[in-house]
Amino acid sequence: MSGDTTALEFKKPSQLKEVWRRLKKDRLAIFGLIVMVLLLLLAICADLIADYESVITVNVKNRLQKPSAEHWFGTDSYGRDLFARCIHGARVSLSIGFAAAVAATVAGSLVGAMTGYIGGRFDTVVMRIFDIISAIPPTLLALAVVAAMGPGVIKLCLALAFTSIPLFVRVVRSAVLSIVGQEYIEACHAGGTSTWRILTRHLLPNVIGTIIVQSTLQLSHIIRTIATLSFLGLGINPPMPEWGAIINEAKEFLRTSPYLMMFPSGMLCLTAFSISVLGDGLRDALDPRLKS
């Protein structure tokens, strides 16, 4: 029962404290964590900071004003406050990103664990299907799926989740294959334990660290893909604010009003960078052997 014990020990406060102790040593990871917490607070409190009406209401008199005390990021070509649009855009990008990452993590982890545990013809057929899907670049595949389904928040979430599933399947399958032959798994199988119970109670808890790290790293890619699709006009429909759509609107004023592109691009880059370094820090904290 060594594998089951490992899963239980991970949940103990002492184990979590040890992971936190290792994570605190990585200054970049802590920086990423702080930035993400601040961005989440901005996204949650966006309505309290700036009314949504100021984000979508056109005010020609205030168009293209430079950053000032009244408008921290200036105003866009429609006179809308750019700071308000950026923080409301953070809510859109982060909510879609988290939703797509969670859906891809759950679906990909279950399929990956099943292929690694069941094996045989089922493993061969499923992995060949995902090999075909993986042969298409993820961004191009997301473009094709969104173009087929049409723009919209829910459809965008489904498209991004679908393109992320193959990566989770491969990662989780590889991790499960390393523990599926252990004695406690064979004992559960011989004792008549159902496949679902073995997957959810014995296999997945023992690879939870790998899943957490992969989902964190994939979140950064998903948020960048959201911005790419919105920039191309296949993501979020105007006037709903989203970083990629805001950048697309600003490209016409790049020479005269570069701040219109600088602020949303900066928030996008800072978010992607913070998530990436946090994911790297979690990887090292959850598996200290990587440091050796």
Side-chain angles (χ1 to χ4, degrees):
M1 300 295 290
S2 60
D4 199 20
T5 303
T6 304
L8 293 175
E9 287 179 352
F10 181 80
K11 299 178 183 179
K12 290 182 179 179
S14 59
Q15 185 71 10
L16 294 176
K17 288 181 180 179
E18 180 63 19
V19 172
W20 173 244
R21 185 186 66 81
R22 298 189 196 119
L23 184 64
K24 287 194 298 184
K25 293 182 178 180
D26 192 334
R27 294 184 178 180
L28 269 180
I30 294 300
F31 169 79
L33 179 62
I34 293 174
V35 171
M36 283 309 302
V37 170
L38 292 177
L39 285 172
L40 287 173
L41 289 176
L42 279 176
I44 294 172
C45 303
D47 287 327
L48 299 177
I49 299 173
D51 185 29
Y52 185 71
E53 291 298 324
S54 65
V55 176
I56 62 175
T57 302
V58 175
N59 187 353
V60 181
K61 295 181 180 180
N62 292 334
R63 67 187 304 268
L64 297 178
Q65 291 187 5
K66 294 182 178 180
S68 62
E70 183 179 1
H71 303 287
W72 291 359
F73 289 0
T75 60
D76 64 7
S77 58
Y78 294 98
R80 298 171 298 190
D81 186 82
L82 187 59
F83 175 73
R85 289 182 62 77
C86 283
I87 61 174
H88 279 274
R91 170 183 289 183
V92 174
S93 297
L94 292 177
S95 60
I96 295 176
F98 276 107
V102 169
T105 300
V106 173
S109 298
L110 288 175
V111 175
M114 289 175 62
T115 55
Y117 174 68
I118 297 175
R121 184 174 297 178
F122 175 78
D123 180 32
T124 302
V125 172
V126 171
M127 293 311 298
R128 294 299 76 78
I129 293 174
F130 283 111
D131 283 342
I132 297 173
I133 297 175
S134 299
I136 307 173
T139 304
L140 181 60
L141 182 59
L143 280 169
V145 174
V146 172
M149 298 175 61
V153 174
I154 297 178
K155 295 176 181 178
L156 183 59
C157 283
L158 294 175
L160 293 170
F162 176 74
T163 57
S164 301
I165 287 176
L167 182 60
F168 283 96
V169 172
R170 290 184 176 278
V171 171
V172 175
R173 174 181 177 272
S174 177
V176 167
L177 286 175
S178 64
I179 62 175
V180 73
Q182 294 187 13
E183 295 180 356
Y184 77 98
I185 299 294
E186 295 179 355
C188 291
H189 181 71
T193 305
S194 65
T195 300
W196 177 255
R197 185 175 180 84
I198 292 175
L199 291 175
T200 57
R201 295 295 298 274
H202 302 287
L203 289 178
L204 288 175
N206 280 282
V207 297
I208 190 66
T210 302
I211 295 173
I212 291 173
V213 172
Q214 188 58 49
S215 61
T216 304
L217 295 174
Q218 189 63 17
L219 175 61
S220 175
H221 172 73
I222 290 174
I223 290 177
R224 295 195 305 270
T225 305
I226 295 171
T228 301
L229 295 175
S230 296
F231 181 82
L232 296 174
L234 294 173
I236 302 301
N237 290 324
M240 181 182 293
E242 196 280 327
W243 290 333
I246 296 173
I247 295 172
N248 181 43
E249 294 174 358
K251 69 179 186 294
E252 298 178 5
F253 306 93
L254 180 59
R255 293 181 180 274
T256 58
S257 303
Y259 64 89
L260 292 177
M261 183 174 289
M262 180 179 65
F263 288 114
S265 299
M267 292 189 70
L268 175 62
C269 293
L270 182 62
T271 302
F273 174 76
S274 300
I275 297 174
S276 296
V277 296
L278 178 58
D280 290 338
L282 284 174
R283 180 181 57 192
D284 296 335
L286 291 169
D287 190 358
R289 292 174 298 178
L290 295 175
K291 285 290 188 180
S292 60

